Amino acid sequence: MKLNADEITSVLKKEIEGYGAALTVDEVGTVLEVGDGIAQIYGITNCMAGEMLEFSNGAKGLAFNLEENSIGAVILGEYIDLKEGDEVKRTGTVMQVPVGKALLGRVVDPLGNPVDGKGPIVTDTYRPVESAAPGIADRRSVHEPLLTGIKAIDSMIPVGRGQRQLIIGDRGIGKTAIAIDTIINQKHSGVICVYVAIGQKGSTIAGVVDRLTKEGAMDYTIVVSAPASAPAPLQFIAPYAGCAMAEYFMYKGGHTLCVYDDLSKQAAAYRQLSLLLRRPPGREAYPGDVFYLHSRLLERSAKLSDDLGGGSQTALPIIETQEGEVSAYIPTNVISITDGQIYLEPNLFFAGQRPAVNVGISVSRVGGAAQIKAMKKIAGTLRLDLSAFRELEAFAQLGTELDKATQAQLDRGFRMVEILKQAQYKPMPIAEEVIVIWCGGGGKFDSLPVNQLAAFEPKLLSHMRDQFPEILKEIDDTGSMTEETEAKLDKAVEDFKKDYVSV
Amino acid sequence: MGQVKKRHPASNTYARALLEIAEAADEGDAFADQLTAFATALESDRQLRAFFESPKIPRGDKKSVLERSLSGKVAVPVLNMLRLLIDKGRQTLFIEISDCFGEILDQARGRKHVQIASAMPISGSARQSLVTLLAERLGGEIVATETVDPTLLGGMTVRFDDTVIDGSLRTKLKYVREAMSTPRLGRNLLG
């Protein structure tokens, strides 16, 4: 296409003329003091709570404290070149972020600016960062599964679309891994994912983005990045921004998943702001409204009623504990807000049980309603087997002579624990999960040595995929197994076991 | 507009009290002039300010010096307030009180302070019509302060209270630049 210089000039002229006439009328105030990401502002007496402000260096701010003679504002951006006496403009709007399909596959900061070097984000749709959660009449109960692709979770701690499921545990034992696997597993489910990284190392976030790209998960994922180097106000606002981006799709009838990694860092950032704004400190020096900080965020996750399009927003908040201390302030708060928690334990992790989910104390309060029939049926047996196993495990360590029944129960337990192990970045289709757990619960693995299960399982599954795709398809399509199918499965597994020669 | 500082809450209280006395005697403007004169003296003369504010100099000395130099030149209530401030150790608030007094008085009289900044000095007739226009819009008397700010490039800005009316070329250019660097949907140079 040939570019005509005159055409460009005329278009530009038109653009410039449009700006010639208008006078701008602004309300401005003055910076009294500035520092540590907050500013005290004099003037702008009509300013509203939560209103966005604009500083003379172009940085945006949020009006937080409205006091008799001044306004306490947080600065979302650079504050080093701001000084006393600088002008602050009211914008008359609340903070909003760009939303829409243009964001998919992008890494953005909490203000919606791209940080991945892939050019500008072109969208004309925006959503306020803080918005009210859907009301009671707008919701319906959770009834569709959100599959994580992790056997231990999909079987015993199922997550439904619209549920808030907390992932809690000490540092470095696989909290993020569960969330990332869940995102990867949404590849064919049409669920749009938002991964909000708060207060993490920049290198960690880059690693996550890299992994998601490799797995092809960035096509349906938005990453909101507020690394440890970002100012506290940005870390504070990041989950709300991510939530707004997901909400857009939810209200359009889509299914979304929000991962907040992690909310303890967000609470710490909010504590910093509150203390600098001289709000009174409470327990653990958190401000009084730290519960509301998380409850208003997580309440925005919902399963919408059919009238509203039936969209959903599932939340996977992550909380980091110190030395397994779940009774600290922030963990108890978030545990009480969410619809259940996945509890990870260092002991299990270092014993090689990965994902290190403690299925005994992890719960899902609503996910059961969303589980497929086939899984619900076998998960009950699994749960019983495991709890019986835990009771007996202590005996086994003593090396005492055990009666046959007890020994059998123990053997079953060891195998159950073994099949719940799963490699990272290897989420499984639900049908395959069902088959593995069905085999375990049915005692199909009892004749195999425990240490060979890890090698046997993938071979069995690939055999099933190749020879009996109709069984997998039936589970996928109907969500349950008929008796004939079970019989067929039984025979297939037994035959395979006979032919199986361990390497 | 001068630098805005956080004021001591007592300044406002002192100023209001003095204004009530002044209004009763119908001498508000005279009081304001005297306060401003003394405040200016304090601001410009470091020695005077040091004498007035230093805690080392006994209160009695300060008061007697003030009485000798000011009696007859300022109204009695103003002098009394100075005495009171010294007794209470609040001398440092004087300049703030003077500013507050002026503001409250202006408010009561319906006077509006307007800062006009322009890229070039404004001619007399243009200035006159601007002030008339502002008086019409804002209501009340206009007290205009003019400054020349070449960085505006062209046009002018008018500022009163918290409001800024910006007609400067600098701001317009800023908007043009923003508009041109923002990607938009549905508009394409190539048609």
Side-chain angles (χ1 to χ4, degrees):
Chain A
M1 185 184 282
K2 219 175 154 221
L3 209 56
N4 189 340
D6 286 344
E7 266 176 43
I8 301 178
T9 325
S10 72
V11 172
L12 285 180
K13 256 189 195 161
K14 225 187 276 166
E15 289 275 314
I16 294 168
E17 274 163 7
Y19 289 90
L23 275 181
T24 57
V25 179
D26 292 311
E27 263 184 81
V28 295
T30 325
V31 173
L32 283 176
E33 58 175 85
V34 62
D36 303 314
I38 63 133
Q40 293 289 335
I41 297 159
Y42 178 83
I44 40 175
T45 36
N46 294 324
C47 182
M48 293 175 290
E51 186 175 335
M52 192 143 76
L53 307 170
E54 198 183 320
F55 290 90
S56 52
N57 71 346
K60 297 280 195 285
L62 274 183
F64 249 52
N65 275 3
L66 305 183
E67 287 158 30
E68 195 176 348
N69 292 313
S70 67
I71 288 166
V74 298
I75 307 164
L76 304 161
E78 280 308 314
Y79 56 88
I80 294 172
D81 49 350
L82 284 176
K83 55 184 190 303
E84 182 196 357
D86 276 356
E87 269 185 12
V88 189
K89 235 193 272 177
R90 265 186 75 179
T91 60
T93 57
V94 291
M95 194 184 152
Q96 42 187 6
V97 286
V99 293
K101 286 214 167 96
L103 281 145
L104 293 178
R106 303 302 302 265
V107 185
V108 296
D109 70 6
L111 300 173
N113 302 313
V115 290
D116 52 3
K118 289 185 186 162
I121 289 170
V122 185
T123 178
D124 55 357
T125 34
Y126 290 83
R127 253 190 98 78
V129 165
E130 298 262 13
S131 61
I136 298 165
D138 302 338
R139 298 171 185 256
R140 62 166 297 181
S141 53
V142 172
H143 67 107
E144 301 145 294
L146 183 110
L147 299 169
T148 64
I150 298 168
K151 283 173 282 186
I153 295 173
D154 286 339
S155 57
M156 282 176 294
I157 326 155
V159 182
R161 292 185 176 177
Q163 184 176 352
R164 293 89 41 91
Q165 182 77 353
L166 171 66
I167 303 173
I168 187 166
D170 280 4
R171 80 246 141 9
I173 56 169
K175 299 188 297 297
T176 304
I178 289 182
I180 298 301
D181 281 359
T182 309
I183 292 178
I184 293 172
N185 196 43
Q186 304 314 312
K187 198 163 185 177
H188 303 294
S189 68
V191 173
I192 285 164
C193 305
V194 179
Y195 178 77
V196 186
I198 312 150
Q200 296 187 39
K201 290 192 284 280
S203 60
T204 315
I205 304 176
V208 166
V209 174
D210 193 45
R211 173 53 71 169
L212 290 177
T213 314
K214 258 187 212 147
E215 305 283 347
M218 278 308 276
D219 300 342
Y220 52 88
T221 304
I222 304 167
V223 176
V224 180
S225 155
S229 58
L234 287 182
Q235 295 186 33
F236 151 70
I237 211 81
Y240 300 102
C243 186
M245 290 169 191
E247 263 176 350
Y248 169 82
F249 295 106
M250 172 174 80
Y251 284 107
K252 289 229 176 290
H255 295 286
T256 61
L257 167 72
C258 270
V259 178
Y260 307 115
D261 192 2
D262 65 69
L263 288 186
S264 4
K265 300 252 173 41
Q266 193 229 359
Y270 186 58
R271 170 170 65 184
Q272 178 186 332
L273 291 181
S274 300
L275 292 175
L276 288 168
L277 286 165
R278 305 205 185 100
R279 292 184 178 177
R283 180 173 161 194
E284 289 176 29
Y286 287 105
D289 63 340
V290 77
F291 184 88
Y292 182 56
L293 174 81
H294 291 145
S295 65
R296 73 171 189 266
L297 171 71
L298 293 171
E299 272 302 300
R300 283 161 70 178
S301 294
K303 168 70 194 164
L304 291 182
S305 67
D306 293 341
D307 296 343
L308 285 172
S312 73
Q313 189 196 102
T314 314
L316 288 180
I318 294 178
I319 289 280
E320 184 185 297
T321 53
Q322 307 292 330
E323 301 293 322
E325 179 65 27
V326 281
S327 53
Y329 194 22
I330 303 300
T332 42
N333 277 356
V334 182
I335 286 173
S336 72
I337 295 165
T338 48
D339 304 312
Q341 66 269 5
I342 297 169
Y343 188 73
L344 304 182
E345 263 188 2
N347 298 342
L348 296 174
F349 185 80
F350 295 117
Q353 171 74 40
R354 298 176 193 185
V357 180
N358 182 331
V359 288
I361 54 177
S362 298
V363 291
S364 170
R365 291 181 199 125
V366 295
Q371 227 173 359
I372 65 167
K373 260 199 207 117
M375 185 60 102
K376 209 185 254 179
K377 207 165 134 196
I378 54 178
T381 346
L382 178 59
R383 195 181 283 279
L384 286 176
D385 282 346
L386 279 175
S387 69
F389 170 67
R390 267 191 302 275
E391 273 175 30
L392 292 171
E393 208 183 1
F395 280 114
Q397 280 160 356
L398 292 173
T400 40
E401 277 294 314
L402 297 167
D403 63 83
K404 222 172 166 194
T406 319
Q407 191 59 50
Q409 233 169 7
L410 268 174
D411 288 346
R412 173 71 56 83
F414 282 125
R415 279 162 184 80
M416 284 303 202
V417 167
E418 191 62 25
I419 61 168
L420 291 182
K421 289 183 186 170
Q422 197 169 344
Q424 196 176 354
Y425 310 129
K426 294 270 187 298
M428 288 167 73
I430 183 73
E432 296 183 12
E433 291 179 347
V434 168
I435 289 179
V436 172
I437 293 166
W438 180 88
C439 292
K444 301 285 168 221
F445 296 146
D446 291 0
S447 54
L448 289 159
V450 174
N451 57 15
Q452 286 201 8
L453 278 181
F456 178 79
E457 184 195 306
K459 283 183 186 140
L460 169 70
L461 288 175
S462 99
H463 173 74
M464 295 302 294
R465 273 194 300 266
D466 294 342
Q467 305 298 324
F468 302 96
E470 69 277 6
I471 299 181
L472 294 167
K473 194 168 179 306
E474 190 191 317
I475 300 172
D476 268 336
D477 292 348
T478 63
S480 55
M481 278 194 286
T482 55
E483 269 169 35
E484 296 101 79
T485 319
E486 276 193 59
K488 207 162 146 194
L489 179 59
D490 189 277
K491 186 167 180 308
V493 174
E494 290 297 344
D495 288 350
F496 181 73
K497 255 168 52 180
K498 257 180 242 157
D499 298 343
Y500 179 73
V501 185
S502 65
V503 188
Chain B
M1 195 174 187
Q3 291 290 59
V4 186
K5 290 251 166 60
K6 232 177 185 170
R7 283 184 181 149
H8 194 284
S11 308
N12 197 24
T13 321
Y14 275 106
R16 279 190 189 283
L18 188 62
L19 186 70
E20 274 176 32
I21 298 172
E23 293 291 54
D26 203 16
E27 294 217 25
D29 290 309
F31 275 31
D33 287 344
Q34 290 162 11
L35 287 173
T36 321
F38 192 66
T40 323
L42 275 182
E43 271 174 339
S44 57
D45 192 336
R46 281 183 61 184
Q47 226 178 343
L48 175 64
R49 186 156 181 179
F51 169 78
F52 188 57
E53 293 183 355
S54 168
K56 279 188 180 168
I57 296 158
R59 289 176 178 171
D61 290 2
K62 286 186 194 174
K63 281 195 277 187
S64 58
V65 169
L66 283 180
E67 276 157 30
R68 259 181 283 139
S69 55
L70 293 182
S71 68
K73 290 180 190 155
V74 302
V76 181
V78 175
L79 190 56
N80 284 345
M81 191 186 70
L82 282 170
R83 282 202 196 109
L84 182 67
L85 288 178
I86 290 167
D87 281 339
K88 300 279 181 200
R90 298 264 207 194
Q91 314 84 306
T92 47
L93 293 184
F94 180 78
I95 295 171
E96 283 185 16
I97 295 172
S98 160
D99 289 345
C100 267
F101 188 88
E103 280 170 25
I104 303 167
L105 187 68
D106 284 340
Q107 224 172 9
R109 299 280 149 91
R111 274 196 292 250
K112 288 265 183 195
H113 284 265
V114 177
Q115 283 89 36
I116 301 168
S118 54
M120 277 184 286
I122 306 171
S123 70
S125 60
R127 186 181 183 281
Q128 194 50 50
S129 58
L130 181 64
V131 170
T132 326
L133 191 70
L134 283 170
E136 242 173 66
R137 284 290 169 88
L138 302 177
E141 193 185 333
I142 299 292
V143 183
T145 332
E146 281 169 53
T147 48
V148 174
D149 181 0
T151 65
L152 292 178
L153 302 177
M156 63 166 98
T157 65
V158 175
R159 179 173 189 144
F160 50 90
D161 297 334
D162 282 346
T163 311
V164 173
I165 302 174
D166 198 333
S168 72
L169 188 57
R170 183 176 63 188
T171 310
K172 280 179 199 163
L173 284 176
K174 197 182 100 187
Y175 283 125
V176 171
R177 183 168 63 199
E178 271 173 24
M180 288 190 165
S181 58
T182 330
R184 266 172 299 169
L185 281 178
R187 296 288 284 273
N188 194 331
L189 264 188
L190 301 170

